[in-house]
Amino acid sequence: MNQYINRKYVIVGIFSLVVLIFISRLFYLQVIDQSSKLLASNNVLRHVSKYPARGLVFDRNQKLLVYNEAAYDLMIIPNQLSEFDTLEMCEMLNLTKEQVIQRLSKAKAYSYYKPSIFEKLISARTYAPLQEKLYMYKGFFTQTRTLRRYPQKIAANVLGYVSEVDGKITKEKGYYKLGDYIGAKGVEKSYEKVLRGKKGVEIFMVDVHNRIKGRYKNGKYDTAAIHGGNITLTIDAELQIYAENLMQNKIGSIVAIEPSTGEILALVSSPSYNPELLVGRVRSKNYLELQKDTLKPLFDRPLMARYPPGSTFKTVNALIGLQEEIVHTWTRFPCVHGYVSGRFRMGCHPHKSNLDLIKSIQNSCNSYYAHLFRNLLDHPKYGSFENGFETWRKHVLSFGFGKRLGVDLPNEKQGYIPTINRYNRIYGEGRIKSLNIVSMAIGQGELLMTPVQMANMAATICNKGYYFTPHIIKELPQAFNDLKMPLTVKRYSDIDSVHFNPVIEGMYLAVNGLDGGTARNAAVKGLDICGKTGTAQNPGKDHSIFIAFAPKNTPKIAIAVYVENGGYGATWAAPIASLLIEKHLSDTITRKYLENHVLKGDLIHVIKK
Amino acid sequence: MSLKNNNIWSDIDWPTIGIYFLLVALGWFNIYSAVYNEDQHEVFSFASRYGRQLIWIGASFVIILITLILDSKFYSAFSFPIYSVVILLLLAVLIFGVRVNGAKSWFVIGAIRIQPAEFAKFATSLALAKYLSQYNFKPEKIKFFLGFCLITFLPAVLILMQNDTGSALVFIIFFLVFFREGMPSVYLLVGFLAVTLFILSLLYEIPVVIIVLEFFGLLSFYLLRRELKWTFNAAIVIVVLNVIAWQISVRLFPELSLTYPLLVSLALSVLWYLTKIYKHKLKESYLLITILFASLMFTYSVDYVFNNVLDDHQQRRINHLLGIESDPYGAGYNVNQSKIAIGSGGAYGKGYLQGTQTKFKFVPEQSTDFIFCTVGEEWGFVGTSVVLLLFLLLMIRLVFLAERQKSVYSRVFGYAVTCIIFFHVAINVGMTIGLAPVIGIPLPFFSYGGSSLWGFTFLLFIFLKLDTNRNELVN
């Protein structure tokens, strides 16, 4: 009857085989393969950033320069939308109907379930009426952000701005997610880590439709946002405002440094812009406009513009000459309304002839420095021209020229001190003669410097040989103090301190000399200002340059003023520097006529003609 | 005679009942977890699925009592009437039924929904038991095979018309019951060949399948006759003809599919083989050639059915299963999420009610078809193995019970019950771990749903009732 009874083994065998296959597969899925555990937590957890407010920025007198104002992103979740009054929304947000429709479809294209930004950084004023009506707009909600505000509206180039991160930054720096903001210029960039604080995170559990179902482990792993650290700048807001006012309608830079510390008191780039222009919803539109401006208000001149230093550089050549014993304080050179060698002639302005070193600075004699420079380069003790040139170059570099000083602001430029190789390329190997480059004796030729390097030159001279890296930061939160370390190191030039006295004396006389000086109009009684004018030749009208420090014996401020196409150094740069020194040292302006003259001075609209 | 031993409680198979209650209880706890929500957790709320499932479980006690009280002879006597009623119900549901999830297979009476397809399984089992246990049954006769097919496929086709593919496919497993009762093994082998060809023809282009078939044809010929020289000659003929036909088609009809020259050359070589077969009287080689052509036709029809009959989503699901298409958010979404849920359970699971994947509805249908995910996520590998071994234990126990029946009727019904449970477990668990296509059929005793639970309870306890009369002839 039961001839097929053995088939029960086949059937039980099939059952067992299938169960065995399943158990092996489950063993692989559950015990060996770990990837699904990771996938599972990505599936179910949503990390929501809590944005911290950025740190505040103060000036050296604790005057507030940058603070935050609450702003609101209007967020949208398309699948929760119901009908709403489009017209009312257009009015509240100042949008056109087309814009609203376009943003709706953009949000839907991104995701129906995930929130995206409908309108970003709505100001508090716009937000107030919106908030009252928001309950009628299903699917919309707001998230709190902050906007930067600038009570003083000054020093845009120093303070910089923040901008939204792009895909490149999010890839390079793991901290940032799309929609975050990052310091893009100025101290916002260089002290980004201090100012940004630390984002917090709230972890929610979401279901497959991305709906929040509660806090993950009751918020055990949530972190609070940590407010950004406040920073104090070395800027003196009052001096900065005054300096910016003096520079109005002029193109150029002012850098004022406290020589005993390297702290930057004022850093002016002119023309500048109102920092509030680059905040919030209007940022991108305004940025484009500023970028198109032919006067380049976004260009940070004090750190990025490279100019010839002109006659201000004679101070450095004098110091090198003294150090190398090419000249002594008593050494005199003739001046025949200029310097003549063979058929070469370099002009000079009228002054008494046969000046000594101090008088050569006082009167800015071109001929003196042509002699000095050529005697140095061709001196037999170096054996060759190359060695002479290298000796000179080494001294120049020790002042911090030709390299970044290390200012704690982004985008500082190096300037340029030519190398012998460059001349070999121009003139042919070993064919270069000292006469070919004699214009560098008076700060012309290939030499290029940034205004901050020129101010640092003044600081080094009044410190008699050393400087601190010019910097903008005065106080940081405790945890970041090591950022200040490189700024507190004394850096020495390789000129002996004794050699500075005659140069300082010459600079004092240039301003205060009773028998005349190139910058007599910069003198202020009792302030003992020392200065050196410069007039840099360039394809357009000469640039007006002045470096100075005061008081002579206990210097409190060193300054460089560079006015593009301003003519002689004494025309614009010297009066501006003098007014600023007076403002800084005595806090009053005695020479109202000079102040008025400078304030009214308009070089931009002259150029435009 | 049947009243001699009246005490049903001493004759009934308690181990099976134990496993049954264990599975039902485990099922309920997992349904509770799958729909568990921290905001509302009244256990006895009729509004929640676990609350309703408790009511279904309570009602199954009534079903158990009824099935056990009824005399075994009742089932035997009323096998065909019950079958006919169910067939009528299946017809009625096509007209009066309500569409749920795309399948028009539900009657709705007030708050209760009933799916007659669940009852078709035990009705068909009864009918088959009656049919296969008849006195003059000869399994090898084609008449009985056709009768078997009629009883099996009539409800299957009706269910298929309700658009409930999953429930219809279950009926295939009755071939295994027939196999135990003496179905010629060649049918099982043909079935196996068909499945293999089905997968091959979906995975590869038809020309490749033709060449593979040619190769296996030659191999079978060699295994049958052990004539190396003849096999070698046959191989030379077919390869040469293939290459010539291929070259001609490439040069003269470059836009033509490679299938046609291959078929033409195959036909030519088969003509030559036939003359040789006739000459040397190689009888069994006729069968070989018949199978070869049958396989070819089958490959073509698979291709045709797949491209012209199956819906897009069915095509995609099959493609996904075979690894042809990878689309974790489309057709493969369910399986992908279910694999993640099961895998994330690890060796020991996340703990009861601690599952995140199933609870937050990443896995669809998690209290019905994908209940195994909850087991996998919360109880880990330990839980899944224990559940699978429990099912295996149940099936082996049922085979043991079936084999101890004196009457063929009871044995056939026992095998039917066992095979239905097996098919459900194999497909349901298989689809959650990506080893079977996603066809929505429930896990017996586990999945949420009254119809499913009652259907399996009926099946199991009718057999247990028959088992109490194992030493008698009930047919």
Side-chain angles (χ1 to χ4, degrees):
Chain A
M1 170 191 163
N2 247 330
Q3 57 171 315
Y4 300 111
I5 186 149
N6 285 334
R7 287 192 174 180
K8 75 177 177 191
Y9 297 115
V10 176
I11 292 173
V12 168
I14 292 174
F15 295 169
S16 308
L17 183 69
V18 167
V19 169
L20 185 71
I21 289 171
F22 283 4
I23 287 180
S24 324
R25 171 75 167 175
L26 284 164
F27 186 75
Y28 173 76
L29 275 180
Q30 298 191 290
V31 182
I32 296 173
D33 186 12
Q34 296 294 306
S35 65
S36 51
K37 276 173 205 152
L38 214 72
L39 283 171
S41 71
N42 280 345
N43 235 350
V44 78
L45 299 182
R46 190 207 292 168
H47 298 249
V48 177
S49 294
K50 304 289 289 174
Y51 297 103
R54 282 181 83 82
L56 307 179
V57 182
F58 297 95
D59 89 332
R60 64 189 294 119
N61 301 315
Q62 294 306 311
K63 197 178 268 182
L64 191 57
L65 294 178
V66 188
Y67 70 100
N68 299 304
E69 187 180 272
Y72 305 87
D73 288 345
L74 184 62
M75 311 293 289
I76 180 173
I77 301 179
N79 78 326
Q80 294 177 5
L81 283 180
S82 58
E83 274 185 32
F84 64 91
D85 187 345
T86 326
L87 202 68
E88 192 184 50
M89 167 153 284
C90 291
E91 271 173 29
M92 281 193 296
L93 294 177
N94 197 16
L95 295 170
T96 64
K97 199 178 162 199
E98 288 71 34
Q99 279 175 306
V100 169
I101 292 166
Q102 186 221 334
R103 286 175 194 202
L104 278 177
S105 51
K106 195 178 151 198
K108 284 174 187 167
Y110 169 68
S111 168
Y112 265 79
Y113 299 116
K114 288 185 194 166
S116 56
I117 295 178
F118 185 77
E119 173 70 345
K120 63 185 172 188
L121 299 175
I122 299 165
S123 68
R125 187 180 296 179
T126 316
Y127 176 67
L130 180 72
Q131 185 198 20
E132 281 173 24
K133 302 230 167 113
L134 206 58
Y135 74 94
M136 294 196 294
Y137 293 87
K138 296 242 157 48
F140 286 97
F141 66 97
T142 53
Q143 93 182 1
T144 313
R145 302 299 289 261
T146 56
L147 280 180
R148 291 305 239 178
R149 283 284 173 234
Y150 304 88
Q152 311 285 344
K153 302 182 180 33
I154 54 163
N157 56 316
V158 174
L159 300 175
Y161 50 83
V162 294
S163 69
E164 218 167 315
V165 296
D166 54 23
K168 199 173 144 231
I169 293 172
T170 56
K171 248 177 244 155
E172 284 168 5
K173 302 176 181 174
Y175 177 83
Y176 299 95
K177 298 260 154 47
L178 281 181
D180 286 0
Y181 288 85
I182 187 171
K185 281 279 162 64
V187 289
E188 298 278 17
K189 181 172 184 180
S190 50
Y191 290 98
E192 163 70 12
K193 277 197 179 150
V194 184
L195 290 168
R196 77 181 178 195
K198 198 160 183 286
K199 274 191 295 187
V201 68
E202 284 180 312
I203 308 175
F204 293 105
M205 297 188 287
V206 295
D207 70 4
V208 70
H209 297 307
N210 222 34
R211 288 181 297 228
I212 289 178
K213 288 286 179 183
R215 285 179 183 279
Y216 178 62
K217 305 241 163 170
N218 283 324
K220 197 171 147 196
Y221 296 102
D222 291 4
T223 53
I226 297 170
H227 190 292
N230 299 340
I231 60 175
T232 302
L233 301 185
T234 57
I235 292 285
D236 179 339
E238 261 183 62
L239 191 68
Q240 177 81 18
I241 293 170
Y242 190 58
E244 287 186 13
N245 284 340
L246 294 178
M247 282 302 281
Q248 69 189 8
N249 293 324
K250 300 163 196 76
I251 302 172
S253 310
I254 296 175
V255 183
I257 296 174
E258 187 178 73
S260 57
T261 57
E263 291 175 1
I264 297 173
L265 301 168
L267 192 71
V268 178
S269 178
S270 182
S272 189
Y273 59 91
N274 180 349
E276 303 234 305
L277 288 177
L278 296 186
V279 170
R281 297 161 74 186
V282 293
R283 202 189 83 84
S284 49
K285 183 179 127 270
N286 287 336
Y287 187 85
L288 279 177
E289 263 170 38
L290 289 173
Q291 217 173 18
K292 274 188 259 170
D293 192 328
T294 51
L295 298 177
K296 296 188 183 169
L298 291 173
F299 185 56
D300 190 12
R301 289 182 165 80
L303 291 163
M304 299 175 74
R306 307 190 308 165
Y307 300 111
S311 298
T312 60
F313 192 67
K314 286 173 184 166
T315 54
V316 173
N317 275 338
L319 288 165
I320 297 170
L322 289 169
Q323 179 71 22
E324 290 293 315
E325 296 182 330
I326 302 300
V327 292
H328 302 277
T329 48
W330 59 85
T331 311
R332 289 166 186 269
F333 290 115
C335 176
V336 286
H337 292 292
Y339 173 77
V340 180
S341 170
R343 287 162 68 188
F344 177 85
R345 180 182 168 81
M346 181 161 73
C348 193
H349 53 92
H351 57 77
K352 287 186 204 157
S353 184
N354 268 14
L355 300 178
D356 65 10
L357 185 121
I358 292 171
K359 293 272 180 197
S360 77
I361 291 175
Q362 181 185 355
N363 291 300
S364 193
C365 175
N366 287 346
S367 176
Y368 192 94
Y369 289 93
H371 282 288
L372 182 152
F373 190 56
R374 291 195 68 193
N375 287 358
L376 174 82
L377 295 178
D378 297 334
H379 200 282
K381 73 176 172 181
Y382 303 122
S384 71
F385 173 83
E386 272 87 2
N387 289 344
F389 182 83
E390 283 307 327
T391 307
W392 172 82
R393 188 168 190 274
K394 185 172 68 64
H395 287 304
V396 171
L397 292 185
S398 75
F399 282 83
F401 301 132
K403 61 184 179 195
R404 288 186 191 89
L405 286 170
V407 181
D408 50 348
L409 283 170
N411 302 324
E412 190 196 352
K413 287 278 185 293
Q414 288 181 310
Y416 182 69
I417 307 298
T419 58
I420 192 74
N421 288 338
R422 172 168 168 152
Y423 291 123
N424 283 338
R425 273 200 307 278
I426 297 173
Y427 298 100
E429 196 73 29
R431 306 264 306 266
I432 168 84
K433 298 269 185 312
S434 60
L435 191 59
N436 295 130
I437 56 168
V438 74
S439 60
M440 287 210 293
I442 57 166
Q444 295 284 155
E446 290 84 0
L447 282 177
L448 290 174
M449 286 181 195
T450 63
V452 76
Q453 283 173 332
M454 295 180 215
N456 194 49
M457 166 165 73
T460 314
I461 292 169
C462 70
N463 283 339
K464 298 183 182 174
Y466 67 86
Y467 66 92
F468 293 94
T469 300
H471 55 274
I472 205 79
I473 196 74
K474 192 161 172 67
E475 276 164 39
L476 283 165
Q478 195 89 43
F480 294 97
N481 261 342
D482 53 335
L483 289 176
K484 277 175 72 178
M485 285 292 287
L487 307 174
T488 55
V489 180
K490 256 189 198 178
R491 292 163 204 276
Y492 284 90
S493 72
D494 55 10
I495 307 293
D496 297 339
S497 62
V498 288
H499 299 310
F500 285 88
N501 291 327
V503 173
I504 291 171
E505 188 60 28
M507 287 172 74
Y508 178 77
L509 290 175
V511 178
N512 302 295
L514 294 175
D515 52 345
T518 53
R520 286 285 293 129
N521 61 347
V524 180
K525 211 171 177 198
L527 294 186
D528 291 348
I529 298 174
C530 307
K532 179 73 198 80
T533 54
T535 307
Q537 289 165 5
N538 75 96
K541 196 182 171 192
D542 291 349
H543 295 323
S544 169
I545 316 163
F546 195 63
I547 64 165
F549 56 86
K552 182 186 174 195
N553 293 322
T554 51
K556 295 231 160 25
I557 179 171
I559 192 166
V561 178
Y562 211 107
V563 182
E564 286 183 30
N565 311 108
Y568 296 115
T571 317
W572 291 109
I576 290 172
S578 163
L579 287 167
L580 281 170
I581 291 169
E582 187 182 10
K583 171 85 180 167
H584 184 64
L585 295 181
S586 60
D587 206 22
T588 48
I589 297 298
T590 51
R591 300 162 294 167
K592 285 288 174 197
Y593 65 96
L594 188 66
E595 184 183 42
N596 275 334
H597 169 71
V598 172
L599 288 173
K600 277 188 199 147
D602 183 348
L603 301 176
I604 290 177
H605 303 96
V606 172
I607 298 164
K608 281 267 171 88
K609 255 182 242 170
Chain B
M1 177 167 93
S2 66
L3 297 175
K4 199 171 17 179
N5 189 351
N6 205 15
N7 191 357
I8 191 170
W9 303 117
S10 61
D11 285 345
I12 199 160
D13 189 58
W14 288 104
T16 310
I17 294 184
I19 299 173
Y20 167 80
F21 279 113
L22 196 53
L23 288 172
V24 170
L26 286 176
W28 185 82
F29 279 112
N30 281 294
I31 292 167
Y32 182 83
S33 178
V35 293
Y36 173 78
N37 186 331
E38 287 186 23
D39 301 335
Q40 51 160 130
H41 39 256
E42 309 122 73
V43 176
F44 298 104
S45 149
F46 194 65
S48 64
R49 289 197 152 185
Y50 43 86
R52 266 179 281 172
Q53 183 74 1
L54 264 189
I55 291 166
W56 308 143
I57 292 172
S60 3
F61 284 99
V62 180
I63 291 171
I64 291 169
L65 275 180
I66 293 170
T67 49
L68 293 183
I69 284 167
L70 287 172
D71 193 278
S72 293
K73 297 226 160 129
F74 167 83
Y75 301 110
S76 170
F78 283 88
S79 288
F80 284 122
I82 291 174
Y83 179 75
S84 312
V85 169
V86 169
I87 294 291
L88 283 177
L89 280 176
L90 287 175
L91 282 169
V93 84
L94 276 176
I95 302 160
F96 307 110
V98 173
R99 195 170 287 275
V100 175
N101 290 339
K104 195 178 181 184
S105 56
W106 298 82
F107 284 122
V108 174
I109 304 154
I112 296 166
R113 299 188 304 194
I114 292 173
Q115 197 179 16
E118 288 296 334
F119 303 101
K121 279 176 271 191
F122 88 82
T124 311
S125 305
L126 289 174
L128 277 181
K130 192 75 188 166
Y131 185 72
L132 297 184
S133 63
Q134 59 188 277
Y135 174 66
N136 57 350
F137 179 74
K138 296 272 183 306
E140 63 279 0
K141 285 213 167 159
I142 201 83
K143 184 183 96 180
F144 290 104
F145 179 68
L146 291 177
F148 164 82
C149 287
L150 182 71
I151 294 173
T152 310
F153 289 132
L154 182 61
V157 168
L158 287 174
I159 292 169
L160 207 57
M161 283 164 72
Q162 295 163 12
N163 217 357
D164 188 359
T165 325
S167 302
L169 283 173
V170 177
F171 290 79
I172 291 175
I173 203 65
F174 286 122
F175 279 97
L176 207 55
V177 180
F178 191 21
F179 172 72
R180 168 63 187 83
E181 293 308 313
M183 178 180 77
S185 311
V186 72
Y187 295 167
L188 212 60
L189 290 176
V190 165
F192 180 74
L193 182 67
V195 171
T196 315
L197 274 178
F198 175 80
I199 294 173
L200 269 183
S201 62
L202 291 183
L203 278 182
Y204 301 102
E205 299 290 311
I206 286 184
V208 179
V209 180
I210 294 175
I211 291 169
V212 169
L213 281 173
E214 287 172 357
F215 173 75
F216 277 104
L218 291 169
L219 192 67
S220 320
F221 176 72
Y222 174 71
L223 291 175
L224 274 172
R225 299 293 307 182
R226 303 273 165 183
E227 295 275 7
L228 197 58
K229 200 179 137 203
W230 288 358
T231 312
F232 190 68
N233 287 344
I236 295 268
V237 167
I238 199 159
V239 167
V240 167
L241 281 175
N242 273 346
V243 169
I244 291 171
W246 170 53
Q247 281 299 317
I248 290 174
S249 94
V250 166
R251 277 157 214 273
L252 299 182
F253 315 101
E255 72 282 0
L256 200 68
S257 155
L258 202 58
T259 314
Y260 299 103
L262 278 175
L263 281 180
V264 168
S265 59
L266 179 63
L268 287 173
S269 41
V270 164
L271 275 179
W272 188 74
Y273 294 157
L274 283 175
T275 59
K276 290 280 170 193
I277 290 168
Y278 180 75
K279 196 169 133 195
H280 297 281
K281 300 200 167 38
L282 310 170
K283 264 192 189 162
E284 63 281 6
S285 300
Y286 289 120
L287 182 66
L288 204 62
I289 285 176
T290 313
I291 292 176
L292 180 67
F293 276 94
S295 303
L296 273 174
M297 279 167 66
F298 180 75
T299 306
Y300 258 96
S301 54
V302 165
D303 227 47
Y304 179 82
V305 167
F306 187 81
N307 289 320
N308 299 301
V309 178
L310 290 185
D311 286 344
D312 254 13
H313 74 275
Q314 287 167 324
Q315 287 182 14
R316 277 206 302 275
R317 282 178 176 180
I318 293 172
N319 278 342
H320 188 267
L321 184 76
L322 296 177
I324 296 169
E325 241 176 62
S326 175
D327 180 11
Y329 292 102
Y333 177 82
N334 294 0
V335 177
N336 212 44
Q337 291 296 339
S338 123
K339 271 155 67 178
I340 289 174
I342 291 175
S344 70
Y348 304 106
K350 296 176 185 169
Y352 188 55
L353 300 181
Q354 302 301 310
T356 51
Q357 293 302 290
T358 49
K359 199 185 299 170
F360 296 127
K361 303 184 172 57
F362 281 97
V363 181
E365 310 286 340
Q366 76 268 35
S367 63
T368 55
D369 296 348
F370 282 89
I371 189 73
F372 196 68
C373 295
T374 311
V375 180
E377 191 183 8
E378 298 191 346
W379 302 101
F381 177 66
V382 173
T384 51
S385 328
V386 165
V387 169
L388 282 175
L389 289 174
L390 267 180
F391 274 112
L392 183 63
L393 193 65
L394 177 68
M395 292 185 288
I396 291 175
R397 180 77 194 167
L398 288 176
V399 167
F400 170 75
L401 295 186
E403 290 293 345
R404 74 180 182 185
Q405 302 304 312
K406 190 170 182 193
S407 58
V408 177
Y409 176 84
S410 303
R411 183 176 74 217
V412 174
F413 188 77
Y415 268 103
V417 172
T418 318
C419 289
I420 290 170
I421 292 173
F422 166 71
F423 187 83
H424 275 260
V425 172
I427 295 295
N428 182 287
V429 174
M431 78 181 177
T432 61
I433 54 180
L435 290 181
V438 179
I439 49 179
I441 59 173
L443 189 61
F445 316 118
F446 250 77
S447 290
Y448 167 79
S451 297
S452 157
L453 181 63
W454 292 350
F456 283 110
T457 306
F458 260 126
L459 273 173
L460 190 65
F461 280 88
I462 290 172
F463 178 56
L464 288 183
K465 172 66 187 178
L466 293 174
D467 180 54
T468 59
N469 302 111
R470 54 187 168 267
N471 295 321
E472 304 158 28
L473 282 172
V474 293
N475 44 332

